[in-house]
Amino acid sequence: MRRSSARIRVRTIIGAVALAIAMAPLAVSSVAAQSRAERLSLAGWTDSLDRSISQSAVARIESRANANPRVGALRHALFDIRRAELRHDRGTTTHAEFEAVWIARAHSDWPWAHYLVARTLVDELVEGWLPASTDDNKEGSESLADSAWQELRAALEGDRELAVARHMAIGLMVAGGDRLLRDDQLAIVEGELARARPDPDAILVWGRHLRTGRHYDEAIAAFNSAVARGGDRSRLDLEIGRTQRAVHDSADAVAAYWDGLQHLTPAGRELYRFDLGWIISRDSLSAFDRLPDSAVVSWMHRFWDERDAAAAAHPGARLAEHLRRWAFVYAHYRVRSPWRRSMYDRIDMFYDNEDCQHLDESLYTTLWEMPPVHTGDIRARERMLDQRGILYLRHGEPLMRVGGAEPRFGPENFTTGTPATTPDETDAWSPWARGSVVHTFVPPPPGYRGSKGGVPYQMSIGATESWLYMIDGDARLLTFRPSFAIGAYDATTLSSYLPYSPGAWLARVGTLDVYTDAARRIARELTIIGPSTPRDPPTCWNEVRAANDRSRADAAVATHNDSDSPPFVHPWASTIGIYALGDGANRSGEALLTFALGGTTLHADTLADGRAAYHIQFHLTAWDASTGRTITRDTTRLLIRRDPLGANQLLASWLEIPLPPGQWEIGVRAQQGDSSGAYAMRRDVVIGAGDNLGVSDIITGRTGEPVWAATDGLPFPIETTGRWQTGSAAELFFEVHGIPAGESYQTIIDVRTVDSTAKRLPAPVMISTTDLSSGGATYVRKTLGLEHLVAGTYQLSVTARWHAQRVTRTQRIVVRAAPTDGNGTAGRQ
């Protein structure tokens, strides 16, 4: 294998002596007749080249090698290979390959000759000069990676003691990660394990092989054996953690993960980086790459602590969930026959150019670049996971699946049974199997001609599958379908939109409103189109285009983020607000969390007097980005109503959590049991230190709502939904800090629409007043009339200005049209 020239030690006097000795004449014969001294001489020559020769020494050694006709063919070829590796020159490498192939053809019984051919093939694959296959991997052709493995196997069958071939083969398998072992690779590993003292890295490869077959206990034993034999502790501990999580041992899995970081090695760091690469982008990985080894552990703690806060989870829970996801996707979403798809250099979404659509080039470029790559993996073009697996690693269990089929086993079950996508269960894993594509042909409406010039409108869409997620606080629907680049045997590939098929669209009713609207339009058109009525293609209908636009936006968000929303099977229709109040000057900092909870799965107990009692469990996790500190709170509240909640009614509640100064990220869950609840998170909850001008978040209220005891000690009618009727008034409460008592300052309240697409934009509302500071904290209450606002969503801003300092806080409010009675006049709510 080629090593980076920056890591090659400069030629030393000792190295020069070793090279001179190795230049001695050598008559090479078959291994049967080859003396031990001759084999050691070849090994010494190779070792000298790899360890001592530098780029600056190439010319000097080259002149001596070329001038000495007594230099053996094998040693000369080894030198040419090493020279090519140092120069990274394709012409030199190609010359070395021809030389190696010539020797192998002339002396097929020489193990070293097979090693030479394998090494040149690997060099060219690593440099990217050769495609993975010679003939698009059609049946009958041979993958060049396979050719390299066949040569390595032949070398080791000829000489089991050929150390350079053993180390090269094992190193390549380690670099391949969890790829399925082909026959040649499996034979090499089994041969190594039969040795009296097998290489610990070979035991690592065997442990991965056992884990692929779901033999988890045996895999853990193999990894522990590799540790005992001096294997890389950092890399093996991560593998042990992954495997322990597959058998539900969360605590030990997390402990093994951190133990690997405590024993960090260069090889272990590369594997941890690869693990992060599944859930964050390459750009984000640059921060990890810049870290010195001494800072990696603290950085990783901050990485996972932040995600615990975002998920409103207890410390360590998000990492345990990541390890669970890893075990789950490697059990359920492996690409079938990945070597069949190594000729692709992009995702073949040719159907994205349908009528009224455009090719979403940026999305498919992102998708192609998402899978991370192990350093030195010559099979890197083989996709290990289909894109459902990658999105599952990033976002976890979806709230809902539409179409397709769920994995045969639940998220926590890895140990029983074997799914149909494993190599020992189906013929689909044969080298040439593509699987079958399910074609659905959509007939055109009667009389339709459209833009096809008289050709009936039809489309082959294959099987589709959609997953509903909550990502960054919004519902997102992701659609998958087949592709040849990832696999046509199932819905393997994220699509930029849902292709047109009446059945597929009708199945999405109830996911998101835009899909429901489009499905209703489709159902209506299918019933009213007459035989002589030409229509635009369905993909051009406004409702379908709106859903497709939403699909592309959701796909963009999903591929650029990893999310931590708890996967509630029955999410509540709720509104949760998170607000910062107080400051550090008088230790008054706190987070106010407001809840408006509703939904058909919200359960109430009936008390003896007939009232409805709701037991709600609240969990909050706050993480300070400036210090890395984490604060968690768990509490259960009993909320009592005279009657159970009716349709469209909400249960109002709030929590107050003291916080010191900091830049907090807060996640919160309200739930009943594990499957029913609501979740929200906010990343910018700022509690100031009190030494500068500061403004708290804005708390909004409405007369007649439940009363909250505000921080000024007086009641405030808090509005937990953030919604008002046109013509009503909004009560505002906020704090101003950092202005001496008696000083005047300016307050500016601004309200403007966020709907930039409306035909008639309502004029902004702006109110400016001059107020006096009370010193310490100034508690401000104001009433904002909404009579000039039409129904819509608005941004409410409050700005405090004092001398050269200026601070603004914003919040969104929703204004709805007042309900009307049967005569069209406004009625009371």
Side-chain angles (χ1 to χ4, degrees):
M1 277 290 291
R2 175 183 56 79
R3 300 177 186 174
S4 170
S5 58
R7 300 179 62 184
I8 301 298
R9 284 186 284 172
V10 178
R11 184 184 181 199
T12 61
I13 296 176
I14 296 176
V17 173
L19 284 169
I21 294 174
M23 292 282 288
L26 177 64
V28 182
S29 61
S30 69
V31 68
Q34 194 175 8
S35 70
R36 175 177 172 83
E38 291 172 337
R39 294 200 302 270
L40 290 176
S41 179
L42 270 177
W45 170 245
T46 306
D47 184 68
S48 296
L49 288 174
D50 286 350
R51 290 177 177 271
S52 302
I53 191 170
S54 65
Q55 181 64 40
S56 61
V58 167
R60 295 195 299 272
I61 303 302
E62 180 177 21
S63 61
R64 293 181 59 191
N66 291 335
N68 187 348
R70 302 182 66 188
V71 173
L74 284 176
R75 282 178 295 165
H76 194 284
L78 280 167
F79 171 76
D80 283 344
I81 291 171
R82 191 73 192 107
R83 175 178 56 178
E85 290 170 348
L86 287 167
R87 288 180 172 174
H88 303 283
D89 175 70
R90 183 171 188 176
T92 307
T93 304
T94 302
H95 171 77
E97 181 192 357
F98 288 153
E99 190 174 6
V101 170
W102 179 85
I103 296 173
R105 286 178 178 175
H107 305 281
S108 60
D109 58 339
W110 288 1
W112 274 87
H114 294 290
Y115 164 72
L116 292 179
V117 176
R119 184 161 171 172
T120 57
L121 286 172
V122 168
D123 285 343
E124 291 185 289
L125 287 169
V126 169
E127 293 286 0
W129 293 330
L130 290 179
S133 66
T134 56
D135 191 19
D136 283 354
N137 258 350
K138 294 185 177 68
E139 185 170 0
S141 70
E142 182 178 89
S143 163
L144 293 178
D146 286 345
S147 299
W149 284 108
Q150 289 170 13
E151 297 293 341
L152 283 171
R153 181 178 181 178
L156 290 171
E157 286 177 345
D159 184 0
R160 293 182 57 186
E161 301 302 318
L162 190 56
V164 288
R166 288 174 44 232
H167 295 157
M168 179 180 178
I170 295 168
L172 289 174
M173 283 186 276
V174 170
D178 277 74
R179 302 191 182 282
L180 291 170
L181 297 181
R182 308 295 297 276
D183 290 342
D184 293 326
Q185 296 169 308
L186 195 57
I188 292 172
V189 173
E190 290 172 343
E192 180 65 24
L193 294 178
R195 296 172 60 84
R197 300 184 63 181
D199 189 320
D201 280 351
I203 305 176
L204 162 65
V205 172
W206 181 247
R208 288 172 172 173
H209 178 69
L210 290 169
R211 183 172 59 199
T212 297
R214 298 190 182 183
H215 304 295
Y216 295 118
D217 291 335
E218 294 92 332
I220 292 173
F223 294 139
N224 284 324
S225 173
V227 172
R229 292 178 178 274
D232 190 290
R233 178 72 175 272
S234 178
R235 183 165 53 196
L236 287 162
D237 275 339
L238 177 53
E239 299 289 17
I240 290 170
R242 289 168 166 175
T243 317
Q244 286 176 325
R245 190 63 186 91
V247 292
H248 321 310
D249 196 339
S250 298
D252 284 351
V254 171
Y257 181 95
W258 291 115
D259 191 62
L261 285 168
Q262 293 293 342
H263 296 86
L264 194 64
T265 62
R269 177 166 178 159
E270 195 275 335
L271 187 59
Y272 276 93
R273 185 189 190 278
F274 179 82
D275 186 65
L276 291 174
W278 285 115
I279 61 175
I280 62 177
S281 66
R282 295 181 182 181
D283 291 342
S284 300
L285 282 173
S286 61
F288 180 84
D289 295 337
R290 291 192 297 268
L291 294 172
D293 287 347
S294 59
V296 169
V297 174
S298 59
W299 188 92
M300 293 289 272
H301 273 292
R302 289 174 61 88
F303 180 88
W304 291 113
D305 287 348
E306 179 179 6
R307 280 156 176 75
D308 283 332
H314 291 284
R318 181 62 183 84
L319 173 55
E321 166 65 7
H322 170 70
L323 294 172
R324 183 200 70 80
R325 294 179 189 178
W326 191 96
F328 184 70
V329 301
Y330 272 88
H332 294 286
Y333 293 115
R334 286 180 176 269
V335 172
R336 292 184 187 176
S337 304
W339 47 88
R340 291 285 291 118
R341 306 170 215 293
S342 59
M343 66 282 203
Y344 291 95
D345 57 6
R346 57 160 292 154
I347 294 172
D348 51 322
M349 288 302 190
F350 50 85
Y351 44 70
D352 232 29
N353 256 337
E354 295 169 6
D355 292 299
C356 300
Q357 301 295 332
H358 61 275
L359 181 64
D360 196 346
E361 190 77 33
S362 61
L363 173 65
Y364 295 121
T365 299
T366 298
L367 291 175
W368 189 253
E369 295 175 350
M370 282 179 72
V373 176
H374 280 294
T375 302
D377 182 9
I378 65 171
R379 296 172 60 185
R381 293 174 70 90
E382 299 176 14
R383 298 310 195 210
M384 279 194 281
L385 299 177
D386 75 32
Q387 291 174 353
R388 293 170 299 179
I390 299 176
L391 271 296
Y392 193 103
L393 272 171
R394 290 196 170 216
H395 305 292
E397 185 67 22
L399 297 174
M400 179 190 302
R401 285 184 174 89
V402 182
E406 293 190 31
R408 187 180 301 179
F409 311 107
E412 286 296 329
N413 190 340
F414 305 101
T415 57
T416 59
T418 304
T421 53
T422 55
D424 54 351
E425 188 80 352
T426 174
D427 291 337
W429 283 88
S430 65
W432 317 118
R434 278 193 183 273
S436 60
V437 182
V438 179
H439 292 285
T440 301
F441 292 93
V442 182
Y448 168 72
R449 290 183 178 274
S451 61
K452 302 291 185 181
V455 178
Y457 178 84
Q458 63 182 18
M459 186 187 310
S460 172
I461 65 170
T464 62
E465 182 176 349
S466 295
W467 290 4
L468 181 66
Y469 278 112
M470 288 292 295
I471 304 176
D472 285 351
D474 290 325
R476 315 275 183 182
L477 192 69
L478 309 179
T479 293
F480 303 88
R481 62 187 297 182
S483 74
F484 288 122
I486 309 299
Y489 52 84
D490 206 345
T492 60
T493 310
L494 184 65
S495 173
S496 72
Y497 68 96
L498 177 66
Y500 177 73
S501 166
W505 281 89
L506 293 174
R508 270 69 179 176
V509 172
T511 54
L512 298 179
D513 288 344
V514 289
Y515 288 90
T516 301
D517 292 342
R520 287 172 178 167
R521 170 72 186 274
I522 290 168
R524 184 172 69 250
E525 294 286 347
L526 289 176
T527 60
I528 68 172
I529 290 179
S532 61
T533 307
R535 294 282 179 174
D536 290 331
T539 49
C540 296
W541 295 340
N542 289 336
E543 293 86 349
V544 175
R545 294 178 68 180
N548 289 340
D549 289 344
R550 174 62 184 270
S551 176
R552 293 185 170 193
D554 289 348
V557 171
T559 53
H560 286 84
N561 296 276
D562 61 300
S563 66
D564 311 285
S565 305
F568 290 125
V569 178
H570 305 291
W572 295 337
S574 307
T575 302
I576 300 177
I578 304 174
Y579 308 96
L581 294 166
D583 66 7
N586 52 9
R587 298 183 180 178
S588 62
E590 68 171 58
L592 171 68
L593 291 84
T594 65
F595 302 87
L597 309 176
T600 57
T601 61
L602 198 61
H603 171 74
D605 296 321
T606 303
L607 300 179
D609 59 4
R611 292 182 298 167
Y614 293 86
H615 290 83
I616 310 295
Q617 303 142 17
F618 295 96
H619 176 77
L620 172 143
T621 301
W623 179 73
D624 182 5
S626 59
T627 65
R629 179 181 179 182
T630 297
I631 295 175
T632 62
R633 293 289 186 273
D634 286 285
T635 184
T636 299
R637 295 290 178 89
L638 176 61
L639 306 176
I640 299 176
R641 286 175 52 92
R642 184 177 60 186
D643 301 305
L645 291 174
N648 301 320
Q649 288 185 316
L650 298 171
L651 191 66
S653 180
W654 51 81
L655 298 173
E656 293 175 278
I657 308 296
L659 288 178
Q663 303 173 26
W664 297 92
E665 297 185 9
I666 296 179
V668 61
R669 286 181 280 127
Q671 63 191 95
Q672 289 181 322
D674 294 329
S675 63
S676 179
Y679 157 85
M681 67 89 58
R682 182 180 165 190
R683 299 186 185 276
D684 58 345
V685 182
V686 179
I687 306 294
D691 49 357
N692 291 304
L693 175 65
V695 178
S696 74
D697 287 325
I698 310 161
I699 313 300
T700 53
R702 183 173 65 180
T703 301
E705 294 299 315
V707 172
W708 163 63
T711 52
D712 61 0
L714 301 175
F716 182 81
I718 196 167
E719 170 52 68
T720 55
T721 67
R723 295 175 174 85
W724 287 261
Q725 292 182 10
T726 53
S728 63
E731 303 296 328
L732 309 181
F733 174 85
F734 55 91
E735 305 168 347
V736 178
H737 302 275
I739 302 177
E743 289 271 347
S744 62
Y745 66 94
Q746 185 180 18
T747 303
I748 303 169
I749 299 175
D750 181 271
V751 183
R752 59 187 64 222
T753 183
V754 298
D755 184 7
S756 59
T757 62
K759 293 182 179 180
R760 294 184 59 187
L761 298 178
V765 175
M766 183 175 293
I767 303 170
S768 179
T769 62
T770 300
D771 302 299
L772 290 178
S773 171
S774 302
T778 300
Y779 304 103
V780 183
R781 293 171 178 254
K782 293 186 180 289
T783 300
L784 177 65
L786 307 177
E787 60 271 11
H788 299 296
L789 301 181
V790 300
T793 302
Y794 296 84
Q795 178 170 280
L796 166 66
S797 300
V798 170
T799 300
R801 180 185 295 167
W802 179 56
H803 298 312
Q805 299 184 52
R806 177 189 179 104
V807 177
T808 299
R809 293 287 178 262
T810 62
Q811 182 180 325
R812 288 197 173 185
I813 63 173
V814 177
V815 177
R816 291 181 169 178
T820 60
D821 58 22
N823 297 319
T825 57
R828 296 184 64 184
Q829 183 174 352

